[in-house]
């Protein structure tokens, strides 16, 4: 039985994962971390990570960028693997994530969904064929009106998967309203829509001469991300120090 700590346990994703783990015989939650303690959980909840004295095999993180620095310090000091799902990290924090992976196992993914990670593979394959053929690439992401970061971490990860396949020759363009010029062939337009209760929708468009190919992933609930996070936690427990991602979990 894998013993896990839920970092951000009383947030929406924390509660989704709490419910999923209750029904999973291979993992249990032994503690939670959240500054809000007004929810009655079946495990002890600490307001700060440094207050937690419960031993665990892995930490699942769905919190916010401000809490990640203390989390990484905790994990490296105690050599606890962490599934890092929080997005919107700064360049400095991403550097800290890389350093942490030298001391403990860190699995970081902009999106924990199986479908999104399959989409990344398909986009790499498509880009290698359609990019050299002159197809323009545009990406539109849609999320609920409470999401604070834009573009989404998943949108950037999808763009990165294309750019990696094309030897990083593309430039990302987020706003064309300030510059009046034709689109450059070596750019990926990335646009964010925020509204209502949209869980997550990502559309990638390859537009060529007289034909358009579209790839799209739509999440209808947060459960798809929670399931991936739980599987990642079970995979990461006991792993040696290093940087991991969802491709290691699902073995594409």
């Amino acid at each position: 039985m894998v013993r896990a700590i839920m970092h951000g346990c009383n947030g929406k994703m924390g509660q989704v994962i709490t419910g999923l783990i209750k029904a999973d015989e291979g993992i249990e939650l032994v503690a939670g971390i959240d500054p809000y303690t007004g929810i009655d959980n079946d495990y002890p909840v600490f307001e700060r990570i440094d207050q937690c004295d419960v031993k665990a095999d892995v930490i699942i993180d769905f919190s916010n960028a401000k809490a990640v620095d203390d989390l990484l310090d905790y994990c490296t000091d105690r050599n606890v693997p962490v599934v890092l799902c929080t997005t919107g990290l700064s360049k400095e924090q991403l550097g800290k994530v890389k350093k942490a992976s030298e001391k403990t196992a860190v699995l970081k993914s902009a999106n924990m969904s199986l479908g999104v990670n399959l989409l990344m593979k398909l986009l790499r394959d498509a880009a290698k064929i359609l990019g050299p053929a002159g197809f323009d690439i545009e990406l539109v992401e849609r999320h609920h009106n409470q999401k604070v970061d834009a573009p989404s971490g998943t949108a950037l990860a999808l763009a990165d998967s294309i750019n990696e396949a094309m030897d990083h020759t593309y430039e990302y363009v987020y706003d064309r309203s300030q510059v009046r010029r034709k689109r450059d062939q070596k750019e990926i337009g990335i646009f964010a829509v925020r509204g209502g209760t949209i869980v997550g929708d990502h559309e990638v468009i390859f537009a060529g001469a007289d034909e358009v190919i579209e790839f799209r992933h739509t999440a209808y609930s947060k459960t798809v991300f929670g399931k991936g996070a739980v599987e990642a936690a079970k995979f990461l427990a006991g792993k040696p120090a290093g940087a991991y991602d969802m491709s290691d979990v699902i073995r594409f």
Side-chain angles (χ1 to χ4, degrees), residues 14-157:
Q15 287 298 293
V16 167
I17 290 172
T18 295
L20 289 170
I21 287 179
K22 279 184 181 179
D24 193 315
E25 296 180 354
I27 186 170
E28 64 175 333
L29 280 176
V30 294
I33 313 296
D34 205 294
Y36 175 67
T37 57
I39 295 178
D40 186 20
N41 293 296
D42 295 334
Y43 48 82
V45 176
F46 303 87
E47 292 184 18
R48 301 195 316 270
I49 187 72
D50 60 1
Q51 295 174 338
C52 181
D53 57 358
V54 180
K55 291 185 178 180
D57 303 309
V58 65
I59 297 177
I60 304 173
D61 166 68
F62 262 108
S63 57
N64 60 71
K66 292 181 179 178
V68 167
D69 289 309
D70 289 342
L71 170 65
L72 291 174
D73 290 340
Y74 180 96
C75 291
T76 53
D77 289 345
R78 293 165 176 77
N79 193 26
V80 182
V82 57
V83 177
L84 190 61
C85 305
T86 295
T87 61
L89 302 185
S90 67
K91 188 178 293 186
E92 292 75 18
Q93 286 179 310
L94 291 174
K96 192 168 184 176
V97 171
K98 186 177 180 180
K99 284 186 120 180
S101 69
E102 297 171 1
K103 297 184 178 180
T104 191
V106 179
L107 190 151
K108 182 183 180 303
S109 179
N111 191 299
M112 304 303 295
S113 139
L114 173 64
V116 166
N117 284 277
L118 172 60
L119 178 58
M120 290 180 187
K121 180 181 186 301
L122 296 175
L123 289 176
R124 286 192 290 270
D125 293 341
K128 291 175 183 177
I129 298 171
L130 301 177
F135 280 66
D136 297 321
I137 306 170
E138 299 282 287
L139 195 157
V140 181
E141 57 98 343
R142 305 169 182 88
H143 283 86
H144 53 85
N145 57 22
Q146 300 301 303
K147 188 171 180 61
V148 296
D149 56 317
S152 69
T154 300
L156 292 173

Side-chain angles (χ1 to χ4, degrees), residues 130 133 135-136 205-214:
L130 301 177
F135 280 66
D136 297 321
I205 304 164
F206 290 85
D210 301 324
E211 62 178 332
V212 175
I213 300 171
E214 299 180 29

